[in-house]
Amino acid sequence: MKKKVSLSQLKKYDVNQKILEALADAQSRSILFSIIKEGMTALELSEKYRIPLSSVYKKISDLEELTLVKVDKWVLSESGKKFKVYKSRISRAEISIRKPEPVITLSPN
């Protein structure tokens, strides 16, 4: 007898669903599309969008897990601290709502 998977369990493992959720989140979207042309550090993103730094790191971690963001390079501050510069892996996202599932088309950056 097959065990039925609940919708919440299915969403947990559905990459398309996770990408949709990331793109639906205003902060994640702001971060993702602000680093298309030029990379930024988490601190720069935090200051630019007035998002708490801890939230920026969480959003970036989620976007990295979905391979939507990459570490472009490392920079050294004047005090000698290393910072990651993040860059978007996509330049455009298109979502088509069709039955039974939405279709997501991502254009590489």
Side-chain angles (χ1 to χ4, degrees):
M1 188 168 157
K2 286 186 178 180
K3 186 178 177 185
K4 227 178 181 183
V5 179
S6 71
L7 185 59
S8 63
Q9 288 173 318
L10 183 62
K11 285 182 178 181
K12 182 179 176 183
Y13 300 105
D14 184 0
V15 175
N16 279 347
Q17 180 65 33
K18 288 182 177 185
I19 290 172
L20 279 172
E21 288 169 5
L23 293 174
D25 180 75
Q27 292 177 337
S28 294
R29 210 173 42 248
S30 295
I31 290 168
L32 183 62
F33 291 111
S34 69
I35 55 177
I36 289 173
K37 293 184 180 184
E38 189 175 324
M40 296 174 77
T41 67
L43 183 59
E44 290 170 330
L45 289 164
S46 174
E47 290 171 351
K48 181 175 182 176
Y49 294 107
R50 296 189 175 143
I51 302 170
L53 189 57
S54 59
S55 296
V56 171
Y57 278 117
K58 173 66 174 125
K59 305 282 183 191
I60 287 174
S61 174
D62 293 344
L63 293 169
E64 276 186 302
E65 186 179 311
L66 295 168
T67 66
L68 298 176
V69 166
K70 66 179 178 179
V71 175
D72 191 40
K73 61 184 174 183
W74 289 80
V75 293
L76 228 68
S77 70
E78 290 179 10
S79 63
K81 286 187 176 182
K82 283 183 171 181
F83 291 96
K84 294 177 181 177
V85 175
Y86 299 96
K87 193 155 184 197
S88 177
R89 289 180 177 262
I90 63 169
S91 61
R92 192 171 75 197
E94 294 178 20
I95 301 168
S96 302
I97 307 299
R98 295 186 188 139
K99 289 185 180 181
E101 294 292 324
V103 176
I104 303 171
T105 306
L106 304 174
S107 301
N109 189 10

